[in-house]
Amino acid sequence: MDKYAVWGNPIAQSQSPQIHKIFADQTQQQMEYVAMLGDEQDFEQQIRAFFAQGALGCNITAPFKARAFQLANVYSERCLTAEACNTLKKLEDGRLYADNTDGAGLVSDLQRLGWLQPEQNLLILGAGGATKGVLLPLLQAKQNIMLANRTLSKAEELARKFAQYGQIHAVELSDIPVQPFDLVINATSSGLHGQTVHINSEILRKATALYDMQYAKESDTPFMVLCKQLGKQNVSDGFGMLVGQAAHAFELWRGVMPEFETLLDKALV
């Protein structure tokens, strides 16, 4: 049986094993996919041993994406720009290939929702690792991106790095212009602490669609609650992104793209 896994710490909450089992059943792939608890001290040794024992690939989640990036020999362009890896594949010559499918998963979900057209004005809230992982695919989808962050210098650094790929510029959260955006993406981690990002609510009110990269299994995220309180209807969490990035990883490993839309009823997973 071909072996795959997801590595993280904590990992008990991961829905990846259920998702990949559904993908495998759907595409008739003979494979095993399990959740593995990564050790803060010995993560690198664990991954090397995992592949030495015959595994063919794995997903990487927090807090190991940057460390997994360092373990690889070959990289996709989107992985290099993200400087973080969420998918490893063992090549036939034994080398490790690193990819980052987060941005592809986000783009696939936005396309599914009908929220992604070329030349849109897109506002991204936050300039951390989550944002860095999705900027290249969004710019390749021809989005005009305004990147807003509490610390302006961090957003400016990302904007400079990605300027070669498309239209992107940085502002402070408090300086976001009150204008209609086609799409606002919350890439901050504030929802993990039960909070929402502090910006002028008129910006959210004027937006056509609003997307939170976080998701909550059985409820709306704090960002979604705020948007709905403002009367917004085109509001989504990041569950479709989670399933989308898994589908792109599955395709990298198995050479077949599963129908990820069928999983978007959360009761399935």
Side-chain angles (χ1 to χ4, degrees):
M1 186 77 80
D2 293 346
K3 283 184 63 176
Y4 299 87
V6 57
W7 289 84
N9 189 341
I11 199 62
Q13 83 290 351
S14 176
Q15 299 189 59
S16 294
Q18 298 96 307
I19 291 170
H20 282 278
K21 184 181 186 312
I22 292 170
F23 287 164
D25 291 345
Q26 185 193 98
T27 57
Q28 282 125 29
Q29 298 289 306
Q30 298 300 311
M31 58 183 282
E32 174 189 69
Y33 186 110
V34 297
M36 300 289 286
L37 182 66
D39 186 274
E40 294 279 0
Q41 298 290 313
D42 298 322
F43 172 71
E44 287 77 9
Q45 291 89 326
Q46 287 179 309
I47 294 297
R48 291 191 186 100
F50 176 70
F51 282 107
Q53 291 160 10
L56 298 181
C58 64
N59 289 128
I60 309 290
T61 188
F64 298 120
K65 290 185 179 184
R67 288 168 69 173
F69 179 83
Q70 300 294 334
L71 281 171
N73 312 106
V74 192
Y75 301 87
S76 68
E77 184 182 21
R78 60 196 182 192
C79 189
L80 283 173
T81 57
E83 295 178 356
C85 160
N86 81 332
T87 305
L88 286 170
K89 176 183 179 178
K90 189 175 186 179
L91 301 177
E92 288 184 8
D93 61 8
R95 294 182 300 166
L96 288 183
Y97 177 82
D99 199 359
N100 189 314
T101 63
D102 287 334
L106 173 60
V107 165
S108 290
D109 196 36
L110 293 174
Q111 289 169 334
R112 176 190 68 84
L113 290 164
W115 293 357
L116 201 68
Q117 307 297 329
E119 307 302 336
Q120 288 186 152
N121 291 319
L122 194 155
L123 172 65
I124 300 180
L125 306 174
T131 298
K132 201 173 182 181
V134 302
L135 280 177
L136 180 60
L138 287 171
L139 288 166
Q140 289 174 331
K142 302 204 167 9
Q143 301 302 292
N144 302 316
I145 296 175
M146 182 179 293
L147 191 55
N149 196 56
R150 191 172 52 192
T151 307
L152 179 59
S153 59
K154 198 170 178 187
E156 288 175 332
E157 183 185 337
L158 272 191
R160 279 194 299 272
K161 177 176 177 179
F162 284 88
Q164 61 183 303
Y165 299 105
Q167 294 295 317
I168 181 169
H169 68 282
V171 297
E172 229 173 299
L173 281 177
S174 56
D175 289 336
I176 301 169
V178 180
Q179 66 184 55
F181 288 96
D182 297 297
L183 176 63
V184 175
I185 296 176
N186 177 34
T188 71
S189 59
S190 56
L192 295 175
H193 314 292
Q195 300 169 339
T196 56
V197 60
H198 296 296
I199 63 169
N200 186 330
S201 60
E202 279 304 302
I203 295 161
L204 303 178
R205 204 189 302 272
K206 287 177 177 288
T208 304
L210 302 114
Y211 191 97
D212 192 353
M213 284 171 60
Q214 300 285 336
Y215 72 95
K217 192 171 181 185
E218 292 169 0
S219 62
D220 286 344
T221 66
F223 180 76
M224 293 173 70
V225 170
L226 172 62
C227 294
K228 289 180 178 180
Q229 285 172 347
L230 294 169
K232 306 307 295 183
Q233 293 184 328
N234 290 340
V235 180
S236 178
D237 70 2
F239 185 75
M241 175 182 169
L242 171 77
V243 178
Q245 63 81 23
H248 284 278
F250 188 92
E251 182 185 33
L252 175 68
W253 296 327
R254 308 301 294 182
V256 57
M257 184 69 172
E259 288 283 335
F260 80 92
E261 292 88 346
T262 59
L263 270 77
L264 295 179
D265 175 0
K266 292 178 197 178
L268 280 176
V269 183

